[in-house]
């Protein structure tokens, strides 16, 4: 489905008076409003190709119809999201779920939708039909050199696909670990994993990055070989300057202080990027900001502070991506909600009075510090986010327009009610 510019223009015109009324406080009273709007316009969040269909659990999957049947249709769906919000200008592919058969044609199609290719993702947590070796007992950590080599070769193949598409980063998430005490020699598993990653790292183009993603548990529940930010940080340090830690918000134990983790990694120059989602218990892959919006704000507060301290570009110097599973929602609606939640947290973090906060910290005034943070968090920045969208040519309210146009039913009409997208 192609979203026509007049759809957005007509919708915005009808909403403009109410929007301007809400925005007037900002434009008249708040000096920071204009810089925040400009930063929001620049800030883009990548959409993962595997999140465009209905997700599932190990108990089942319930597709909602109209799901993309090919990589071309996935690009079209991300293009639709980007047309609605002008904040989803990149797509991240998971190989082998979405192997481009004609990379040049795929690049041109993405460009037509105003999209670039974000980090490419390897997959050594599933056995593929044509694979000679099994990853049942791990991939890069495996005791069998042949299994490790298959996993290494796959990652290098993913790099080649990424180069052809204009990507500049590889994300490696390993399900490697153990289910029971005694099953694994932790030291040997670490060394084998490091040696395997070194071969992958050596295959990186000069301008590429390697993101080492960690996860506390699942699918292994006794140990994970890259189980926390410390182990990822250790691998990244040993690999070299092109290797970084990638933080997935759902990959921590409950109540982990992710904002502190982010602050330290950024301070040490080893934070590579983010996979945004939300959770109640573990890796729930819920809509960003749906359960713990204050945590998301606190994370962005540390990000803004750390990026500014290093003179880094907010929009370009880290990787920003959603990684969620939409079990009961329309996937496109869920992604629109996640993008907006991320934008809101970012805008609120930009509002924090940094000078006053540092004064409170230096004076050990915990009450004052809390008030400064919560004052920013409790501020309604939705008019700023909407104005940024309007200026960028997007809808003032992407989700409302999506529903008004009955996009899902149109997609079902085009693709059918029983289509199932590739991925989890």
């Amino acid at each position: 489905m192609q979203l026509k510019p007049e759809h957005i223009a007509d919708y915005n015109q009808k909403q403009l008076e109410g929007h301007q009324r809400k925005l007037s406080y900002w434009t008249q009273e708040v000096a920071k409003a204009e810089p925040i709007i400009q930063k929001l316009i620049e800030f883009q969040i990548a959409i993962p190709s595997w999140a465009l269909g209905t997700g599932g659990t190990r108990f089942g999957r319930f597709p909602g119809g109209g799901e993309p049947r090919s990589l071309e249709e996935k690009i079209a769906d991300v293009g639709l999201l980007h047309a609605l919000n002008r904040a989803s200008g990149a797509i991240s592919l998971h190989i082998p779920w979405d192997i481009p058969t004609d990379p040049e044609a795929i690049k041109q199609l993405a460009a037509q939708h105003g999209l670039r290719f974000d980090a490419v993702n390897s997959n050594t947590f599933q056995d593929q039909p044509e694979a000679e070796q099994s990853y049942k007992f791990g991939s890069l950590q495996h005791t069998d050199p042949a299994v490790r080599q298959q996993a290494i070769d796959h990652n290098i193949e993913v790099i080649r696909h990424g180069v052809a598409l204009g990507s500049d980063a590889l994300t490696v998430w390993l399900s490697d670990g153990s289910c029971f005490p005694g099953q694994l020699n932790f030291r040997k598993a670490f060394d084998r994993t490091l040696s395997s990653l070194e071969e992958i790292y050596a295959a990186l183009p000069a301008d590429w990055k390697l993101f080492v993603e960690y996860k506390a548990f699942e699918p292994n529940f006794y140990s994970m070989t890259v189980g926390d930010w410390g182990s990822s940080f250790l691998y990244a340090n040993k690999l070299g300057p092109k290797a970084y830690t990638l933080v997935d918000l759902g990959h921590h134990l409950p109540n982990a202080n992710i904002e502190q983790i982010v602050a330290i990694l950024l301070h040490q120059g080893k934070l590579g990027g983010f996979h945004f989602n939300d959770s109640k218990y573990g890796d729930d892959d819920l809509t960003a900001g749906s359960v713990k919006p204050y945590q998301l704000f606190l994370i962005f507060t540390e990000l803004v502070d750390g990026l500014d301290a290093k003179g880094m570009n907010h929009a370009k110097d880290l990787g920003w991506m959603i990684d969620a599973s939409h079990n009961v929602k329309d996937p496109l609606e869920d992604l629109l909600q996640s993008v907006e939640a991320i934008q809101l947290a970012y805008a609120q973090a930009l509002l924090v009075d940094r000078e006053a906060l540092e004064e409170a910290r230096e004076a050990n005034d915990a009450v004052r510090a809390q008030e400064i943070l919560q004052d920013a968090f409790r501020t309604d920045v939705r008019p700023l986010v909407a104005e940024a969208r309007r200026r960028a040519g997007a809808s003032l309210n992407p989700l409302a327009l999506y529903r008004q146009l009955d996009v899902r039913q149109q997609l079902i009409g085009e693709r059918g009610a029983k289509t199932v997208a590739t991925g989890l």
Side-chain angles (χ1 to χ4, degrees):
M1 174 192 171
Q2 288 285 344
L3 185 67
K4 297 179 180 178
E6 52 264 33
H7 286 145
I8 292 174
D10 291 346
Y11 178 83
N12 284 355
Q13 186 59 43
K14 293 175 183 177
Q15 306 298 320
L16 190 57
E17 183 178 347
H19 165 66
Q20 290 176 334
R21 187 168 56 251
K22 295 173 185 176
L23 185 66
S24 61
Y25 161 77
W26 288 98
T27 55
Q28 294 172 16
E29 303 292 337
V30 182
K32 283 187 175 182
E34 194 60 34
I36 291 175
I37 291 170
Q38 291 304 317
K39 286 184 181 296
L40 286 167
I41 292 171
E42 296 167 3
F43 197 74
Q44 298 291 313
I45 301 126
I47 304 297
S49 62
W50 60 95
L52 295 162
T54 307
T57 70
R58 66 181 185 274
F59 300 106
R61 183 176 179 181
F62 306 95
E67 296 188 7
R69 300 162 294 184
S70 63
L71 177 54
E72 288 80 1
E73 288 185 351
K74 289 185 175 186
I75 290 171
D77 281 3
V78 178
L80 176 63
L81 294 175
H82 189 48
L84 284 165
N85 63 22
R86 289 297 167 194
S88 306
I91 182 171
S92 179
L93 300 190
H94 219 300
I95 308 295
W97 292 339
D98 293 299
I99 295 178
T101 54
D102 186 342
E104 191 56 38
I106 289 295
K107 277 181 67 176
Q108 291 177 10
L109 178 63
Q112 289 170 16
H113 290 281
L115 305 176
R116 65 174 181 84
F117 286 92
D118 199 66
V120 284
N121 304 262
S122 60
N123 181 337
T124 60
F125 53 85
Q126 290 177 322
D127 285 346
Q128 304 304 322
E130 71 283 0
E132 295 182 4
Q133 309 295 333
S134 173
Y135 297 133
K136 180 177 181 178
F137 295 106
S139 57
L140 299 185
Q141 73 164 28
H142 205 285
T143 55
D144 186 343
V147 178
R148 299 199 299 273
Q149 192 60 53
Q150 177 179 280
I152 292 166
D153 292 343
H154 166 67
N155 275 275
I156 294 173
E157 177 193 5
V158 172
I159 293 171
R160 287 198 291 267
H161 285 302
V163 169
L165 293 170
S167 177
D168 60 5
L170 169 70
T171 297
V172 177
W173 174 70
L174 302 174
S175 65
D176 296 24
S178 62
C179 294
F180 299 99
Q183 176 185 338
L184 193 67
N185 184 308
F186 299 138
R187 299 187 306 279
K188 288 183 179 179
F190 178 89
D191 288 342
R192 288 193 290 261
T193 301
L194 178 60
S195 177
S196 299
L197 284 171
E198 286 172 340
E199 290 193 47
I200 297 166
Y201 184 87
L204 289 174
D207 59 343
W208 269 52
K209 296 177 180 178
L210 173 64
F211 297 149
V212 182
E213 186 175 358
Y214 61 91
K215 188 176 183 182
F217 62 92
E218 195 186 38
N220 286 292
F221 289 92
Y222 179 67
S223 72
M224 293 286 284
T225 297
V226 192
D228 54 32
W229 72 275
S231 55
S232 171
F233 177 71
L234 188 57
Y235 284 119
N237 264 344
K238 287 182 174 293
L239 288 171
K242 294 187 288 187
Y244 299 85
T245 292
L246 185 136
V247 177
D248 184 305
L249 299 189
H251 284 194
H252 302 83
L253 294 173
N255 301 314
N257 192 329
I258 303 174
E259 52 268 34
Q260 183 181 20
I261 293 170
V262 164
I264 295 170
L265 286 170
L266 188 52
H267 182 56
Q268 294 300 310
K270 280 297 181 181
L271 180 62
F274 276 85
H275 283 179
F276 289 104
N277 46 58
D278 210 338
S279 64
K280 181 69 174 177
Y281 300 108
D283 190 23
D284 304 349
D285 273 349
L286 302 177
T287 316
S290 61
V291 179
K292 293 178 278 192
Y294 190 53
Q295 181 189 57
L296 186 59
F297 160 74
L298 292 174
I299 290 168
F300 264 106
T301 298
E302 295 299 333
L303 286 168
V304 169
D305 192 40
L307 287 166
D308 288 347
K310 286 185 168 290
M312 296 171 68
N313 185 291
H314 292 193
K316 297 179 180 179
D317 288 347
L318 294 180
W320 312 103
M321 196 189 83
I322 293 168
D323 186 2
S325 179
H326 326 291
N327 300 327
V328 297
K329 290 181 178 179
D330 177 329
L332 299 184
E333 290 189 344
D334 192 309
L335 289 164
L336 288 172
Q337 288 182 308
S338 283
V339 170
E340 181 166 32
I342 294 165
Q343 291 176 306
L344 291 171
Y346 177 44
Q348 289 167 330
L350 291 170
L351 275 177
V352 172
D353 187 335
R354 303 284 164 181
E355 185 176 343
L357 181 60
E358 278 307 303
E359 288 176 359
R361 288 168 170 171
E362 290 299 315
N364 296 308
D365 190 342
V367 171
R368 178 64 180 144
Q370 177 184 327
E371 289 297 307
I372 291 167
L373 288 179
Q374 292 190 345
D375 179 62
F377 175 68
R378 290 167 176 158
T379 301
D380 185 2
V381 295
R382 287 176 296 178
L384 292 183
V385 174
E387 178 64 10
R389 285 195 293 254
R390 187 191 68 80
R391 293 191 194 181
S395 171
L396 282 167
N397 188 329
L399 182 57
L401 180 56
Y402 178 91
R403 289 198 161 192
Q404 180 177 300
L405 295 173
D406 206 5
V407 172
R408 180 54 58 184
Q409 282 305 123
Q410 292 196 52
L411 292 174
I412 290 173
E414 293 174 6
R415 300 171 183 175
K418 300 293 184 181
T419 57
V420 180
T422 54
L424 291 176

